[in-house]
Amino acid sequence: MYITMEELSKFVDDRYIKRGREIVAEGSVGLEHIKTDSLTAYAIGTAFYIIEIQRHATGITGTCSCPAFIDFGPCKHIAAAVLARLDSHYMPSDFYYEQKELFDMMTKSLMKKSKEELIFFIFRLGNYDPEVMRFIEDECNDESDAD
């Protein structure tokens, strides 16, 4: 998937594009799946974020798993993914690959858990971080509003 700087500027605020350039310079983004109409990438920040970008007839859309995306929309991680894609010489850092390996190992382990085990695990996390419980509550409210 190819996205122009003009398309990126229409989708992501300039201040996030500036920060996206810094993320690329740090080597903190990795392009995982590139298709004709979509791009999946990961970024390392204070956590490991999943970025998905799609091309539609009317332009581009995308999501990021970072908290800023939930609050503000298209973020620096989305900008970084597009900027890394535009840079033919871009390579993620060794630190990125180390964190990606850890992420993959945790993902593989969690995939083996039952639905009940995962629910228990999430609620246990909520005991340590009230933000987790607020997130679950918001998700449940969104689902009940859709019904």
Side-chain angles (χ1 to χ4, degrees), residues 2-58:
Y2 181 79
I3 299 171
T4 66
M5 280 302 299
E6 182 180 344
E7 289 175 307
L8 179 62
S9 294
K10 287 179 183 176
F11 186 57
V12 179
D13 189 271
D14 286 341
R15 63 188 163 163
Y16 298 133
I17 293 173
K18 180 180 177 186
R19 182 61 183 112
R21 283 190 175 95
E22 294 170 8
I23 293 170
V24 170
E26 295 164 359
S28 296
V29 65
L31 305 175
E32 293 299 313
H33 303 287
I34 302 169
K35 297 181 180 176
T36 306
D37 59 351
S38 67
L39 168 68
T40 301
Y42 299 120
I44 299 170
T46 52
F48 207 84
Y49 304 117
I50 303 168
I51 303 144
E52 294 181 340
I53 304 168
Q54 298 83 31
R55 174 176 297 292
H56 303 280
T58 57

Side-chain angles (χ1 to χ4, degrees), residues 113-140:
K113 303 288 184 191
S114 70
K115 185 176 181 178
E116 291 76 18
E117 288 172 314
L118 291 172
I119 291 169
F120 178 77
F121 182 76
I122 291 167
F123 280 110
R124 256 186 88 195
L125 286 175
N127 291 330
Y128 296 100
D129 185 351
E131 187 66 27
V132 172
M133 295 306 279
R134 282 192 289 277
F135 180 78
I136 294 168
E137 184 178 350
D138 289 347
E139 288 294 311
C140 291

Side-chain angles (χ1 to χ4, degrees), residues 26-106:
E26 295 164 359
S28 296
V29 65
L31 305 175
E32 293 299 313
H33 303 287
I34 302 169
K35 297 181 180 176
T36 306
D37 59 351
S38 67
L39 168 68
T40 301
Y42 299 120
I44 299 170
T46 52
F48 207 84
Y49 304 117
I50 303 168
I51 303 144
E52 294 181 340
I53 304 168
Q54 298 83 31
R55 174 176 297 292
H56 303 280
T58 57
I60 60 170
T61 60
T63 59
C64 180
S65 63
C66 75
F69 181 85
I70 294 166
D71 294 334
F72 306 110
C75 62
K76 61 189 178 183
H77 305 113
I78 290 174
V82 172
L83 293 167
R85 176 72 175 118
L86 290 172
D87 182 349
S88 60
H89 300 292
Y90 175 74
M91 289 293 297
S93 68
D94 289 343
F95 180 70
Y96 169 85
Y97 286 116
E98 291 166 9
Q99 294 301 302
K100 174 72 168 69
E101 187 175 331
L102 178 62
F103 176 79
D104 289 344
M105 183 269 307
M106 289 187 293

